[in-house]
Amino acid sequence: MTKIRNKANIQEETVAKEFIKEYWEERSSGFTILRKAELNSNKYIRWKEEIKKKLPIAGLNILDVGCGCGFFSILLAELGHQVTGIDITQSMIEQGKLMLHGASEKINLLTMDAEKLTFDKESFDVVIARNVTWNLTNPKEAYKQWLSVLKSGGILLNYDAEYAKDHHKQQINCAKHAHNQLSKEELDKCHHIYHMLPISAQIRPEWDIQILEELGYKSIEIDKGVGERIYLEQDEFYIPTPMFGIKAVK
């Protein structure tokens, strides 16, 4: 029975992952336009300040997981780091390569699954992600993979939120937020993703802490005030769902 259940779970994850890939492929053009605008906004400046506090030393080798079109990759390169950005969505990577702003010598963008990394073990000083974990089919495996490619003493920085739990509240309150630019079809597909993924039902970041401890991460710190510091204005980048930050050490 266990093997049957495991096979069924794998099939469900495969179906969900393909759906998620297609969703982001369809959104890649509009998503890139928004990220380009964000590069020239006060959000960029605030993110830069946030990350510099966590990573005060320049020259680190950083893996940007779920990089999309490269917003964090560009920011990290400007802070003096060498960055490898990965995303499962090919069109996001293609868009990202077009907007590197002359920082291409410090950034390498690759199409890759966050749950199936192909890098050597202990390749990176830092693994960073923003708004990625919520739409992973197997986030525990992702955390395991990220730990594997971190060097001893390396740092994980993960910024995420309980978007699934907050989805209906956003719809009811009609708060101004980044999703206002999505079509009804795109919103429905996003809603479907929430219901497909087990992580949507977890209490976070408490669930993340438990998994990170099980896997052997150390010095785990949670910051629940990140969103309040970054998203001060209700503009096209605004995210009303409280964002949290996780910092953990290998």
mmCIF file of all heavy atoms in Angstrom, residues 19 22-31 34 167 170-171 177-192 194:
data_model
loop_
_atom_site.group_PDB
_atom_site.id
_atom_site.type_symbol
_atom_site.label_atom_id
_atom_site.label_comp_id
_atom_site.label_asym_id
_atom_site.label_seq_id
_atom_site.Cartn_x
_atom_site.Cartn_y
_atom_site.Cartn_z
ATOM 1 N N PHE A 19 1.321 22.075 -14.313
ATOM 2 C CA PHE A 19 0.329 23.152 -14.282
ATOM 3 C C PHE A 19 0.985 24.462 -13.853
ATOM 4 O O PHE A 19 0.728 25.524 -14.444
ATOM 5 C CB PHE A 19 -0.805 22.791 -13.322
ATOM 6 C CG PHE A 19 -1.950 23.763 -13.320
ATOM 7 C CD1 PHE A 19 -3.026 23.596 -14.187
ATOM 8 C CD2 PHE A 19 -1.965 24.853 -12.456
ATOM 9 C CE1 PHE A 19 -4.087 24.503 -14.201
ATOM 10 C CE2 PHE A 19 -3.012 25.763 -12.452
ATOM 11 C CZ PHE A 19 -4.079 25.587 -13.326
ATOM 12 N N GLU A 22 3.206 25.914 -16.610
ATOM 13 C CA GLU A 22 2.392 26.547 -17.649
ATOM 14 C C GLU A 22 1.841 27.894 -17.185
ATOM 15 O O GLU A 22 1.792 28.861 -17.958
ATOM 16 C CB GLU A 22 1.248 25.620 -18.047
ATOM 17 C CG GLU A 22 1.700 24.378 -18.814
ATOM 18 C CD GLU A 22 0.550 23.437 -19.122
ATOM 19 O OE1 GLU A 22 -0.616 23.819 -18.859
ATOM 20 O OE2 GLU A 22 0.810 22.323 -19.625
ATOM 21 N N TYR A 23 1.451 27.947 -15.918
ATOM 22 C CA TYR A 23 0.919 29.197 -15.351
ATOM 23 C C TYR A 23 1.964 30.307 -15.436
ATOM 24 O O TYR A 23 1.665 31.430 -15.892
ATOM 25 C CB TYR A 23 0.508 28.958 -13.899
ATOM 26 C CG TYR A 23 0.179 30.212 -13.113
ATOM 27 C CD1 TYR A 23 -1.029 30.874 -13.288
ATOM 28 C CD2 TYR A 23 1.079 30.721 -12.172
ATOM 29 C CE1 TYR A 23 -1.327 32.029 -12.566
ATOM 30 C CE2 TYR A 23 0.785 31.864 -11.440
ATOM 31 C CZ TYR A 23 -0.417 32.513 -11.640
ATOM 32 O OH TYR A 23 -0.706 33.644 -10.912
ATOM 33 N N TRP A 24 3.208 30.012 -15.029
ATOM 34 C CA TRP A 24 4.247 31.029 -15.038
ATOM 35 C C TRP A 24 4.747 31.325 -16.447
ATOM 36 O O TRP A 24 5.185 32.447 -16.722
ATOM 37 C CB TRP A 24 5.391 30.632 -14.108
ATOM 38 C CG TRP A 24 5.005 30.773 -12.669
ATOM 39 C CD1 TRP A 24 4.796 29.771 -11.762
ATOM 40 C CD2 TRP A 24 4.738 31.997 -11.980
ATOM 41 N NE1 TRP A 24 4.424 30.297 -10.554
ATOM 42 C CE2 TRP A 24 4.372 31.652 -10.650
ATOM 43 C CE3 TRP A 24 4.765 33.347 -12.340
ATOM 44 C CZ2 TRP A 24 4.044 32.615 -9.692
ATOM 45 C CZ3 TRP A 24 4.438 34.307 -11.393
ATOM 46 C CH2 TRP A 24 4.088 33.934 -10.076
ATOM 47 N N GLU A 25 4.691 30.339 -17.333
ATOM 48 C CA GLU A 25 5.018 30.607 -18.741
ATOM 49 C C GLU A 25 4.057 31.659 -19.298
ATOM 50 O O GLU A 25 4.459 32.606 -19.974
ATOM 51 C CB GLU A 25 4.916 29.325 -19.571
ATOM 52 C CG GLU A 25 6.017 28.302 -19.335
ATOM 53 C CD GLU A 25 7.330 28.669 -19.997
ATOM 54 O OE1 GLU A 25 7.375 29.691 -20.726
ATOM 55 O OE2 GLU A 25 8.316 27.958 -19.760
ATOM 56 N N GLU A 26 2.779 31.482 -18.996
ATOM 57 C CA GLU A 26 1.754 32.407 -19.489
ATOM 58 C C GLU A 26 1.916 33.798 -18.878
ATOM 59 O O GLU A 26 1.610 34.808 -19.512
ATOM 60 C CB GLU A 26 0.369 31.858 -19.179
ATOM 61 C CG GLU A 26 0.021 30.600 -19.969
ATOM 62 C CD GLU A 26 -1.252 29.936 -19.478
ATOM 63 O OE1 GLU A 26 -1.886 30.473 -18.538
ATOM 64 O OE2 GLU A 26 -1.627 28.891 -20.036
ATOM 65 N N ARG A 27 2.416 33.862 -17.640
ATOM 66 C CA ARG A 27 2.537 35.139 -16.943
ATOM 67 C C ARG A 27 3.874 35.829 -17.157
ATOM 68 O O ARG A 27 4.071 36.959 -16.704
ATOM 69 C CB ARG A 27 2.339 34.927 -15.430
ATOM 70 C CG ARG A 27 0.895 34.832 -14.988
ATOM 71 C CD ARG A 27 0.791 35.021 -13.485
ATOM 72 N NE ARG A 27 1.314 36.315 -13.066
ATOM 73 C CZ ARG A 27 1.519 36.665 -11.778
ATOM 74 N NH1 ARG A 27 1.229 35.804 -10.816
ATOM 75 N NH2 ARG A 27 1.984 37.851 -11.471
ATOM 76 N N SER A 28 4.811 35.170 -17.836
ATOM 77 C CA SER A 28 6.193 35.655 -17.860
ATOM 78 C C SER A 28 6.330 37.075 -18.423
ATOM 79 O O SER A 28 7.088 37.882 -17.877
ATOM 80 C CB SER A 28 7.087 34.688 -18.643
ATOM 81 O OG SER A 28 6.648 34.565 -19.981
ATOM 82 N N SER A 29 5.600 37.407 -19.478
ATOM 83 C CA SER A 29 5.734 38.742 -20.079
ATOM 84 C C SER A 29 5.256 39.835 -19.127
ATOM 85 O O SER A 29 5.964 40.819 -18.873
ATOM 86 C CB SER A 29 4.951 38.812 -21.390
ATOM 87 O OG SER A 29 5.500 37.946 -22.339
ATOM 88 N N GLY A 30 4.044 39.679 -18.589
ATOM 89 C CA GLY A 30 3.513 40.664 -17.653
ATOM 90 C C GLY A 30 4.324 40.738 -16.372
ATOM 91 O O GLY A 30 4.539 41.826 -15.816
ATOM 92 N N PHE A 31 4.790 39.589 -15.906
ATOM 93 C CA PHE A 31 5.602 39.523 -14.695
ATOM 94 C C PHE A 31 6.910 40.286 -14.895
ATOM 95 O O PHE A 31 7.362 41.023 -14.011
ATOM 96 C CB PHE A 31 5.879 38.058 -14.361
ATOM 97 C CG PHE A 31 6.595 37.837 -13.059
ATOM 98 C CD1 PHE A 31 5.894 37.788 -11.860
ATOM 99 C CD2 PHE A 31 7.968 37.667 -13.027
ATOM 100 C CE1 PHE A 31 6.559 37.587 -10.649
ATOM 101 C CE2 PHE A 31 8.636 37.461 -11.820
ATOM 102 C CZ PHE A 31 7.925 37.416 -10.639
ATOM 103 N N LEU A 34 6.498 44.060 -14.707
ATOM 104 C CA LEU A 34 6.366 44.518 -13.322
ATOM 105 C C LEU A 34 7.720 44.531 -12.623
ATOM 106 O O LEU A 34 8.038 45.462 -11.880
ATOM 107 C CB LEU A 34 5.386 43.612 -12.575
ATOM 108 C CG LEU A 34 4.958 44.079 -11.182
ATOM 109 C CD1 LEU A 34 4.221 45.409 -11.251
ATOM 110 C CD2 LEU A 34 4.081 43.017 -10.506
ATOM 111 N N HIS A 167 -5.704 34.424 0.235
ATOM 112 C CA HIS A 167 -6.269 34.677 -1.092
ATOM 113 C C HIS A 167 -7.716 35.165 -1.033
ATOM 114 O O HIS A 167 -8.064 36.184 -1.613
ATOM 115 C CB HIS A 167 -6.194 33.400 -1.930
ATOM 116 C CG HIS A 167 -6.788 33.540 -3.294
ATOM 117 N ND1 HIS A 167 -6.154 34.223 -4.318
ATOM 118 C CD2 HIS A 167 -7.974 33.107 -3.810
ATOM 119 C CE1 HIS A 167 -6.904 34.189 -5.395
ATOM 120 N NE2 HIS A 167 -8.010 33.519 -5.138
ATOM 121 N N GLN A 170 -8.125 38.651 0.427
ATOM 122 C CA GLN A 170 -7.768 39.697 -0.524
ATOM 123 C C GLN A 170 -8.923 39.955 -1.482
ATOM 124 O O GLN A 170 -9.249 41.100 -1.796
ATOM 125 C CB GLN A 170 -6.535 39.274 -1.322
ATOM 126 C CG GLN A 170 -5.240 39.296 -0.534
ATOM 127 C CD GLN A 170 -4.062 38.898 -1.396
ATOM 128 O OE1 GLN A 170 -4.147 38.896 -2.610
ATOM 129 N NE2 GLN A 170 -2.961 38.543 -0.768
ATOM 130 N N GLN A 171 -9.544 38.876 -1.940
ATOM 131 C CA GLN A 171 -10.647 39.015 -2.884
ATOM 132 C C GLN A 171 -11.812 39.776 -2.250
ATOM 133 O O GLN A 171 -12.421 40.635 -2.875
ATOM 134 C CB GLN A 171 -11.124 37.625 -3.320
ATOM 135 C CG GLN A 171 -10.068 36.816 -4.079
ATOM 136 C CD GLN A 171 -9.928 37.265 -5.510
ATOM 137 O OE1 GLN A 171 -9.480 38.364 -5.793
ATOM 138 N NE2 GLN A 171 -10.306 36.417 -6.438
ATOM 139 N N HIS A 177 -3.248 45.491 -4.653
ATOM 140 C CA HIS A 177 -2.056 44.663 -4.540
ATOM 141 C C HIS A 177 -1.609 44.224 -5.924
ATOM 142 O O HIS A 177 -2.267 44.511 -6.933
ATOM 143 C CB HIS A 177 -2.322 43.446 -3.642
ATOM 144 C CG HIS A 177 -3.496 42.627 -4.047
ATOM 145 N ND1 HIS A 177 -3.450 41.681 -5.046
ATOM 146 C CD2 HIS A 177 -4.763 42.606 -3.583
ATOM 147 C CE1 HIS A 177 -4.632 41.108 -5.170
ATOM 148 N NE2 HIS A 177 -5.447 41.653 -4.303
ATOM 149 N N ALA A 178 -0.474 43.530 -6.001
ATOM 150 C CA ALA A 178 0.118 43.148 -7.274
ATOM 151 C C ALA A 178 -0.829 42.307 -8.123
ATOM 152 O O ALA A 178 -0.799 42.364 -9.352
ATOM 153 C CB ALA A 178 1.427 42.392 -7.026
ATOM 154 N N HIS A 179 -1.692 41.520 -7.492
ATOM 155 C CA HIS A 179 -2.611 40.652 -8.236
ATOM 156 C C HIS A 179 -3.733 41.421 -8.930
ATOM 157 O O HIS A 179 -4.464 40.834 -9.726
ATOM 158 C CB HIS A 179 -3.202 39.595 -7.297
ATOM 159 C CG HIS A 179 -2.336 38.390 -7.167
ATOM 160 N ND1 HIS A 179 -2.742 37.240 -6.544
ATOM 161 C CD2 HIS A 179 -1.071 38.147 -7.583
ATOM 162 C CE1 HIS A 179 -1.765 36.345 -6.581
ATOM 163 N NE2 HIS A 179 -0.745 36.875 -7.205
ATOM 164 N N ASN A 180 -3.855 42.699 -8.652
ATOM 165 C CA ASN A 180 -4.879 43.486 -9.338
ATOM 166 C C ASN A 180 -4.657 43.514 -10.844
ATOM 167 O O ASN A 180 -5.579 43.773 -11.618
ATOM 168 C CB ASN A 180 -4.886 44.933 -8.814
ATOM 169 C CG ASN A 180 -5.691 45.060 -7.528
ATOM 170 O OD1 ASN A 180 -6.260 44.092 -7.053
ATOM 171 N ND2 ASN A 180 -5.716 46.260 -6.969
ATOM 172 N N GLN A 181 -3.416 43.270 -11.269
ATOM 173 C CA GLN A 181 -3.096 43.332 -12.688
ATOM 174 C C GLN A 181 -3.365 42.019 -13.416
ATOM 175 O O GLN A 181 -3.214 41.935 -14.631
ATOM 176 C CB GLN A 181 -1.620 43.715 -12.858
ATOM 177 C CG GLN A 181 -1.274 45.051 -12.202
ATOM 178 C CD GLN A 181 0.193 45.371 -12.304
ATOM 179 O OE1 GLN A 181 0.775 45.325 -13.370
ATOM 180 N NE2 GLN A 181 0.807 45.703 -11.188
ATOM 181 N N LEU A 182 -3.761 40.993 -12.673
ATOM 182 C CA LEU A 182 -4.027 39.695 -13.290
ATOM 183 C C LEU A 182 -5.449 39.627 -13.828
ATOM 184 O O LEU A 182 -6.378 40.229 -13.281
ATOM 185 C CB LEU A 182 -3.817 38.573 -12.269
ATOM 186 C CG LEU A 182 -2.434 38.450 -11.629
ATOM 187 C CD1 LEU A 182 -2.372 37.201 -10.765
ATOM 188 C CD2 LEU A 182 -1.341 38.440 -12.673
ATOM 189 N N SER A 183 -5.608 38.855 -14.882
ATOM 190 C CA SER A 183 -6.942 38.606 -15.427
ATOM 191 C C SER A 183 -7.679 37.634 -14.507
ATOM 192 O O SER A 183 -7.074 36.977 -13.653
ATOM 193 C CB SER A 183 -6.835 38.004 -16.823
ATOM 194 O OG SER A 183 -6.265 36.697 -16.754
ATOM 195 N N LYS A 184 -8.987 37.520 -14.693
ATOM 196 C CA LYS A 184 -9.766 36.580 -13.906
ATOM 197 C C LYS A 184 -9.275 35.159 -14.139
ATOM 198 O O LYS A 184 -9.186 34.341 -13.199
ATOM 199 C CB LYS A 184 -11.252 36.671 -14.236
ATOM 200 C CG LYS A 184 -12.126 35.767 -13.345
ATOM 201 C CD LYS A 184 -13.580 35.866 -13.703
ATOM 202 C CE LYS A 184 -14.435 35.022 -12.748
ATOM 203 N NZ LYS A 184 -14.008 33.592 -12.713
ATOM 204 N N GLU A 185 -8.914 34.841 -15.366
ATOM 205 C CA GLU A 185 -8.404 33.498 -15.673
ATOM 206 C C GLU A 185 -7.111 33.222 -14.930
ATOM 207 O O GLU A 185 -6.914 32.129 -14.377
ATOM 208 C CB GLU A 185 -8.173 33.363 -17.175
ATOM 209 C CG GLU A 185 -7.697 31.978 -17.591
ATOM 210 C CD GLU A 185 -7.423 31.865 -19.075
ATOM 211 O OE1 GLU A 185 -7.533 32.899 -19.778
ATOM 212 O OE2 GLU A 185 -7.109 30.761 -19.541
ATOM 213 N N GLU A 186 -6.229 34.214 -14.894
ATOM 214 C CA GLU A 186 -4.959 34.041 -14.182
ATOM 215 C C GLU A 186 -5.191 33.900 -12.678
ATOM 216 O O GLU A 186 -4.541 33.078 -12.013
ATOM 217 C CB GLU A 186 -4.040 35.220 -14.474
ATOM 218 C CG GLU A 186 -3.486 35.217 -15.882
ATOM 219 C CD GLU A 186 -2.751 36.491 -16.218
ATOM 220 O OE1 GLU A 186 -3.133 37.572 -15.710
ATOM 221 O OE2 GLU A 186 -1.786 36.426 -17.007
ATOM 222 N N LEU A 187 -6.105 34.686 -12.135
ATOM 223 C CA LEU A 187 -6.431 34.572 -10.714
ATOM 224 C C LEU A 187 -7.017 33.208 -10.383
ATOM 225 O O LEU A 187 -6.691 32.607 -9.354
ATOM 226 C CB LEU A 187 -7.418 35.674 -10.313
ATOM 227 C CG LEU A 187 -6.850 37.081 -10.144
ATOM 228 C CD1 LEU A 187 -7.979 38.083 -9.981
ATOM 229 C CD2 LEU A 187 -5.901 37.146 -8.959
ATOM 230 N N ASP A 188 -7.866 32.704 -11.268
ATOM 231 C CA ASP A 188 -8.464 31.383 -11.055
ATOM 232 C C ASP A 188 -7.394 30.293 -11.079
ATOM 233 O O ASP A 188 -7.442 29.344 -10.274
ATOM 234 C CB ASP A 188 -9.523 31.097 -12.121
ATOM 235 C CG ASP A 188 -10.785 31.931 -11.941
ATOM 236 O OD1 ASP A 188 -10.978 32.473 -10.831
ATOM 237 O OD2 ASP A 188 -11.574 32.035 -12.903
ATOM 238 N N LYS A 189 -6.436 30.413 -11.982
ATOM 239 C CA LYS A 189 -5.364 29.421 -12.053
ATOM 240 C C LYS A 189 -4.476 29.482 -10.810
ATOM 241 O O LYS A 189 -4.046 28.448 -10.283
ATOM 242 C CB LYS A 189 -4.530 29.638 -13.313
ATOM 243 C CG LYS A 189 -5.243 29.226 -14.584
ATOM 244 C CD LYS A 189 -4.354 29.406 -15.802
ATOM 245 C CE LYS A 189 -5.076 28.940 -17.068
ATOM 246 N NZ LYS A 189 -4.239 29.094 -18.281
ATOM 247 N N CYS A 190 -4.207 30.694 -10.348
ATOM 248 C CA CYS A 190 -3.423 30.863 -9.120
ATOM 249 C C CYS A 190 -4.158 30.232 -7.946
ATOM 250 O O CYS A 190 -3.564 29.540 -7.120
ATOM 251 C CB CYS A 190 -3.169 32.346 -8.871
ATOM 252 S SG CYS A 190 -2.089 32.676 -7.459
ATOM 253 N N HIS A 191 -5.466 30.469 -7.881
ATOM 254 C CA HIS A 191 -6.305 29.885 -6.838
ATOM 255 C C HIS A 191 -6.248 28.367 -6.908
ATOM 256 O O HIS A 191 -6.177 27.677 -5.881
ATOM 257 C CB HIS A 191 -7.741 30.380 -7.028
ATOM 258 C CG HIS A 191 -8.653 30.039 -5.901
ATOM 259 N ND1 HIS A 191 -10.016 30.199 -5.974
ATOM 260 C CD2 HIS A 191 -8.416 29.541 -4.658
ATOM 261 C CE1 HIS A 191 -10.567 29.824 -4.840
ATOM 262 N NE2 HIS A 191 -9.617 29.415 -4.036
ATOM 263 N N HIS A 192 -6.255 27.824 -8.110
ATOM 264 C CA HIS A 192 -6.183 26.376 -8.298
ATOM 265 C C HIS A 192 -4.854 25.825 -7.783
ATOM 266 O O HIS A 192 -4.809 24.746 -7.169
ATOM 267 C CB HIS A 192 -6.362 26.033 -9.778
ATOM 268 C CG HIS A 192 -6.419 24.568 -10.058
ATOM 269 N ND1 HIS A 192 -7.331 23.724 -9.451
ATOM 270 C CD2 HIS A 192 -5.657 23.778 -10.867
ATOM 271 C CE1 HIS A 192 -7.147 22.489 -9.884
ATOM 272 N NE2 HIS A 192 -6.129 22.495 -10.743
ATOM 273 N N TYR A 194 -3.074 27.036 -5.356
ATOM 274 C CA TYR A 194 -3.168 26.998 -3.895
ATOM 275 C C TYR A 194 -3.797 25.689 -3.430
ATOM 276 O O TYR A 194 -3.323 25.050 -2.474
ATOM 277 C CB TYR A 194 -4.013 28.168 -3.376
ATOM 278 C CG TYR A 194 -3.427 29.540 -3.603
ATOM 279 C CD1 TYR A 194 -4.259 30.632 -3.855
ATOM 280 C CD2 TYR A 194 -2.056 29.770 -3.552
ATOM 281 C CE1 TYR A 194 -3.737 31.907 -4.050
ATOM 282 C CE2 TYR A 194 -1.537 31.028 -3.752
ATOM 283 C CZ TYR A 194 -2.375 32.097 -4.000
ATOM 284 O OH TYR A 194 -1.861 33.344 -4.188
#
